[in-house]
Amino acid sequence: MSEPEQISVLVVDDEPIIRAGLSAILDSQAGLTVVGTADDGEAAVEACARLRPDVLLLDIRMPRRNGLWALAELGRRGLLGPGRSHVLMLTTFDLDEYVDDALAAGASGFLLKNSAYEELTGAVRAAAAGHSALSPAVTRRIIEGHLHARQRPSDQELARLADLTERERDVLRLVGDGLSNAEIADRLVVSLHTVKTHVSRMLTKTGCQSRAQAAVLARDTLS
């Protein structure tokens, strides 16, 4: 029997104790391995380019270059998205502007540092599989529309939808509602393979690097 594929993780936090603790937790789990650590955003980008981890666990508040800067730079360098790296933002601050900025920039999820071990490791596995991974509190706020209100979508946002087929718009809307691929398949009465194809094409056409980023786009343009 072949060995299960390992999920590689890069842990980024400016506090040595937190880096060590997170690394120990993740390394203790079957199928997860920490391939490196970094202590600020600039070091995180360089380590990601060198190590190409499946998942970055990236703190938001750090000196010098923070996590949001690093996330934007990773996107600019083409290091995020399917077949590349996925980012989970980690912070002690459950603040709306951080959530919105992180998801809009392509983060796959957003976790608080007081999350349970099981939630942390589950989120890493979900992100590696290309799924959204949000703490329940953050998910509730997004669904309830408590992130900063938008009066109308911008022309730039609407242009990202221009090439979508009607079915791909349906899929984007359902991703925005938080449905999994299996749930979307049930809702649209199509196969799981068909949904995966539609999701992949929708992400490519809209330029979204994660399902979470697509969900933000759906919320801002289709709600």
Side-chain angles (χ1 to χ4, degrees):
M1 182 180 296
S2 61
E3 291 293 324
E5 187 173 346
Q6 291 285 308
I7 296 171
S8 57
V9 185
L10 175 65
V11 176
V12 184
D13 195 288
D14 62 306
E15 299 184 43
I17 292 177
I18 293 179
R19 284 200 310 274
L22 291 172
S23 297
I25 292 168
L26 295 172
D27 268 335
S28 71
Q29 302 298 306
L32 303 181
T33 182
V34 174
V35 294
T37 63
D39 61 2
D40 81 331
E42 191 167 343
V45 172
E46 296 308 319
C48 182
R50 184 177 73 256
L51 300 170
R52 301 300 175 101
D54 298 311
V55 178
L56 277 81
L57 198 57
L58 180 60
D59 189 23
I60 287 183
R61 286 198 171 189
M62 295 182 290
R64 299 182 297 276
R65 300 292 195 178
N66 65 26
L68 292 177
W69 177 91
L71 181 62
E73 183 67 10
L74 290 167
R76 188 186 71 80
R77 293 195 188 189
L79 294 172
L80 299 181
R84 299 180 180 86
S85 296
H86 302 277
V87 173
L88 283 174
M89 306 303 294
L90 185 69
T91 184
T92 55
F93 301 94
D94 187 14
L95 301 179
D96 286 352
E97 64 267 26
Y98 288 157
V99 178
D100 211 27
D101 289 346
L103 297 182
S108 294
F110 190 101
L111 287 168
L112 303 182
K113 289 185 181 180
N114 62 359
S115 298
Y117 290 179
E118 295 81 4
E119 188 178 346
L120 169 65
T121 56
V124 169
R125 296 183 195 280
H131 303 312
S132 300
L134 296 168
S135 69
V138 171
T139 301
R140 281 196 300 272
R141 273 216 318 280
I142 292 174
I143 292 173
E144 293 167 2
H146 287 172
L147 297 178
H148 69 267
R150 302 292 294 271
Q151 295 300 312
R152 62 180 297 275
S154 68
D155 291 340
Q156 184 178 13
E157 287 171 330
L158 291 174
R160 295 171 68 182
L161 310 185
D163 293 334
L164 295 181
T165 66
E166 195 61 37
R167 180 45 59 91
E168 288 163 355
R169 281 176 178 261
D170 291 340
V171 168
L172 174 60
R173 185 176 288 105
L174 294 174
V175 167
D177 289 340
L179 273 64
S180 67
N181 284 351
E183 291 168 332
I184 294 173
D186 288 342
R187 181 73 61 88
L188 299 179
V189 195
V190 296
S191 71
L192 185 59
H193 175 75
T194 297
V195 171
K196 289 180 178 178
T197 299
H198 285 318
V199 169
S200 178
R201 289 175 178 170
M202 176 272 292
L203 292 175
T204 298
K205 289 181 179 181
T206 59
C208 291
Q209 296 157 334
S210 70
R211 291 175 73 98
Q213 189 178 25
V216 172
L217 179 64
R219 184 203 68 203
D220 289 345
T221 59
L222 299 178
S223 58

